[in-house]
């Protein structure tokens, strides 16, 4: 099997969905029939392409958006299987990719109050929640793990105001969960495509605009490259 950005990403996504965890370098080596050193180089190239995040010292997969191989504040459960999403946006994107009835369990503002979001027949049953995006998208990949950790769910915009004050966090954009659910389905819609390519900065900006995401948080510089 040819080892490309698209084929590697596709196998990683399929593995997460089927086994609820990331494939190891050894397992990817077996899938592609390549030596581990070749797989590591391909993973490093995919990371530079913003298609995966690797553990710093082992080159094993840490994150392949929307899934996380490490525990997070977003637990997605369906039947006897469960996955970690990186953030509110990712958890909804993972739910879209999984395409089944499920629940997302998280804590509001990553604090003490737990909430369970049920998605059945493609619809969110308890939609009285909001998603907060405090980190400007142009800085999202400076430390994408930190960026994801701040994209959280809340009961109200006033709760977000108090949360920002408590944690000395700048307030960003606030969106209803239903809107981010629709947005996530488009954003992650081609992640299971064997011919997947990462959105360009221009494409990402166009998708943001098409969903009315016009707050300054969503502004991206006009440049070449992938988001």
């Amino acid at each position: 099997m040819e080892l490309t950005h698209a084929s590697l990403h596709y196998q990683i996504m399929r593995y997460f969905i089927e086994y609820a965890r990331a494939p190891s370098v050894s397992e990817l080596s077996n899938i592609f029939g390549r030596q581990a050193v070749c797989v590591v180089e391909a993973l490093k190239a995919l990371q530079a392409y913003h298609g995966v995040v690797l553990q710093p010292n082992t080159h094993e997969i840490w994150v392949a958006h929307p899934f996380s191989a490490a525990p997070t504040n977003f637990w997605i459960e369906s039947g006897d299987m469960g996955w970690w999403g990186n953030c509110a946006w990712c958890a909804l994107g993972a739910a879209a990719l999984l395409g089944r009835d499920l629940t997302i369990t998280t804590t509001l503002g990553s604090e003490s109050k737990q909430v369970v979001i049920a998605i059945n027949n493609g619809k969110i049953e308890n939609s009285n929640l909001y998603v907060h995006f405090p980190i400007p998208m142009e800085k999202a990949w400076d430390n994408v793990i930190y960026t994801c950790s701040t994209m959280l769910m809340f009961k109200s915009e006033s709760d977000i105001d108090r949360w920002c004050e408590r944690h000395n966090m700048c307030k960003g954009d606030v969106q209803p969960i239903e809107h981010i659910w629709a947005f996530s389905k488009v954003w992650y819609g081609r992640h299971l495509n064997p011919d997947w390519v990462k959105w360009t900065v221009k494409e990402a900006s166009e998708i943001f605009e098409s969903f009315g995401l016009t707050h300054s948080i969503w502004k991206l510089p006009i440049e070449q490259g992938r988001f």
Side-chain angles (χ1 to χ4, degrees), residues 3-5 8-9 12 23-26 28-29 36-54 58-61:
L3 184 54
T4 64
H5 284 342
L8 182 54
H9 181 268
I12 292 168
S24 67
V25 169
S26 176
L28 287 170
S29 180
V37 64
C38 295
V39 171
V40 167
E41 288 306 308
L43 284 168
K44 288 163 67 176
L46 187 61
Q47 178 172 246
Y49 188 69
H50 291 173
V52 72
V53 180
L54 305 179
T58 68
H59 299 122
E60 297 289 350
I61 295 166

Side-chain angles (χ1 to χ4, degrees), residues 204-221:
S205 294
E206 289 171 350
I207 295 171
F208 295 162
E209 186 174 351
S210 73
F211 278 91
L213 301 174
T214 56
H215 187 283
S216 60
I217 284 291
W218 298 94
K219 298 298 182 185
L220 292 173

Side-chain angles (χ1 to χ4, degrees), residues 96-166:
L97 280 180
L98 290 165
R100 63 192 79 178
D101 293 349
L102 50 77
T103 58
I104 300 169
T105 302
T106 187
T107 54
L108 300 177
S110 201
E111 295 179 341
S112 62
K113 188 173 182 179
Q114 189 178 81
V115 63
V116 179
I117 300 125
I119 300 179
N120 293 312
N121 298 315
K123 297 182 178 180
I124 298 177
E125 293 194 350
N126 44 333
S127 58
N128 57 334
L129 294 168
Y130 295 85
V131 182
H132 181 219
F133 299 87
I135 307 297
M137 291 297 139
E138 66 176 330
K139 298 182 179 298
W141 281 94
D142 291 354
N143 184 341
V144 74
I145 301 298
Y146 173 73
T147 298
C148 284
S149 75
T150 66
M151 295 180 185
L152 303 169
M153 294 189 185
F154 295 84
K155 278 284 189 182
S156 67
E157 189 158 357
S158 60
D159 285 348
I160 294 171
D161 291 336
R162 289 189 290 270
W163 182 89
C164 288
E165 184 176 357
R166 274 198 309 279

Side-chain angles (χ1 to χ4, degrees), residues 66 74 76 85 87-98 102 104 117 119 124 131 133 153 176-182 184-185 188:
F74 292 87
I76 305 155
C87 60
W89 178 3
C90 283
L92 293 169
L97 280 180
L98 290 165
L102 50 77
I104 300 169
I117 300 125
I119 300 179
I124 298 177
V131 182
F133 299 87
M153 294 189 185
I177 188 174
E178 286 276 15
H179 193 56
I180 299 304
W181 172 232
S184 297
K185 287 188 279 189
Y188 286 108

